[in-house]
Amino acid sequence: MTTTALPPRAGRRCHNALNPLHSTLYFSPDLDREFGALGFTDQSAMRLAARSAALGAVGAGTVAATFYNYNHELLSRHLPAVWDIASPTDVLAARLRTVDATLRRLLGEDTVSSPEMAEAAMLALRATEACTRHARPLYSAHADLPVPEAPHLAYWYAATLLREHRGDGHLAALLTVGLDPVEALVSHTATGKGMAPRWVLGSRGWKRADWEAATERLRGRGLLDAEGELTEAGTALRDELEARTDLLDSAPYEHLGAAGVERLTELGRGFLVTAAVAGAFPADLVGKG
């Protein structure tokens, strides 16, 4: 394994460049079309199936554990019932078709077929060589899937592996710092970098009362002030959380090396900007309000 020292938070910056492009899947009209053709009519069911299919025909309990911040009540309405609509194999195939259509639409054919895309796929896949399976269920399930041949799909697949590898470690860090599912969401939104409350509540299945109760618990711990802003202690806890996550997620980026991480971040940011300009994300997705 390469042991070249990385600049501080270099792995996190690389993740932040790659992860949002993975997430374009969940905001894409192509997902509604592809999954509608399978027989899905509920958007929550579509998105839950799309992310969990790599785990197999799992139920609500498994997804609650691996997704962390979803309401089990919401999950129980759709899981395992979604697998009566379509098998995990069919869902994974529809997901890849969605990714293909989405990236071609957002990035354009020239970018999809560019040498830069092939280079990014190669670098991202190289980083995944150092990912580890133990205690990382979502990463490990996705790592069992075949690598797509087309470079833009291979890049998305590698970004998915890196996303879920970091995400699995992040859940361990959340437990360590003592943030429950809704507290994790509220405190992330309070940083100004998380999803706006209406998006969180709409997608994760929590009610406004759950949000307000978590806010009060965080106030009681001295992590939020009366206006719902992070206190100095709250900021320190979120910083600690991300630092712990960085540590648990360092291996792929150390393996890739400083020059490779810098180049992959540069390429990933370019693709992400292009996608964002093309309307990949809702305008009000991120924010405190």
Side-chain angles (χ1 to χ4, degrees):
M1 177 183 294
T2 301
T3 57
T4 305
L6 298 178
R9 295 181 291 282
R12 191 192 308 180
R13 287 193 292 272
C14 192
H15 164 80
N16 289 341
L18 273 61
N19 176 46
L21 194 71
H22 160 92
S23 301
T24 58
L25 165 73
Y26 301 107
F27 303 101
S28 174
D30 303 304
L31 184 71
D32 298 325
R33 184 188 69 251
E34 288 289 349
F35 279 59
L38 292 179
F40 285 87
T41 57
D42 185 282
Q43 289 193 339
S44 291
M46 294 178 195
R47 283 149 182 78
L48 290 172
R51 191 176 178 208
S52 66
L55 294 166
V58 294
T62 299
V63 174
T66 53
F67 286 18
Y68 195 84
N69 56 29
Y70 281 68
N71 189 337
H72 186 264
E73 181 180 331
L74 168 69
L75 300 177
S76 296
R77 289 203 296 270
H78 300 295
L79 295 162
V82 296
W83 312 123
D84 294 330
I85 301 172
S87 70
T89 299
D90 289 341
V91 167
L92 289 170
R95 184 177 77 168
L96 203 58
R97 292 193 300 270
T98 299
V99 173
D100 181 42
T102 300
L103 294 185
R104 290 182 186 279
R105 176 172 51 81
L106 295 175
L107 301 180
E109 294 294 336
D110 288 346
T111 297
V112 161
S113 60
S114 67
E116 289 79 11
M117 180 61 74
E119 181 186 4
M122 180 270 294
L123 289 169
L125 287 169
R126 185 186 301 163
T128 68
E129 294 170 357
C131 292
T132 55
R133 289 180 179 271
H134 46 280
R136 298 184 193 267
L138 267 177
Y139 160 75
S140 192
H142 281 88
D144 283 344
L145 302 177
V147 180
E149 291 185 9
H152 67 295
L153 298 181
Y155 174 73
W156 182 88
Y157 171 73
T160 300
L161 293 185
L162 293 170
R163 163 201 170 94
E164 302 299 9
H165 188 268
R166 183 179 179 87
D168 287 336
H170 188 64
L171 304 194
L174 284 167
L175 290 174
T176 301
V177 301
L179 290 175
D180 71 23
V182 189
E183 292 166 357
L185 293 166
V186 171
S187 61
H188 189 210
T189 295
T191 68
K193 300 176 182 178
M195 287 195 299
R198 81 174 191 88
W199 281 97
V200 175
L201 298 176
S203 63
R204 268 55 175 174
W206 302 105
K207 298 179 173 60
R208 177 59 67 173
D210 300 314
W211 186 274
E212 292 173 352
T215 299
E216 286 304 314
R217 292 195 299 274
L218 293 172
R219 286 196 182 109
R221 292 173 60 183
L223 302 176
L224 291 181
D225 63 19
E227 286 71 41
E229 299 291 332
L230 287 171
T231 62
E232 183 176 341
T235 298
L237 184 137
R238 289 295 315 188
D239 289 346
E240 177 188 357
L241 172 62
E242 294 302 330
R244 287 174 183 260
T245 304
D246 289 344
L247 182 63
L248 293 169
D249 191 42
S250 60
Y253 304 102
E254 290 175 355
H255 178 70
L256 186 56
V261 170
E262 181 179 5
R263 178 59 173 159
L264 180 56
T265 303
E266 177 187 13
L267 291 167
R269 283 175 175 165
F271 301 148
L272 180 58
V273 168
T274 299
V277 170
F281 308 103
D284 60 348
L285 179 64
V286 175
K288 299 180 182 181

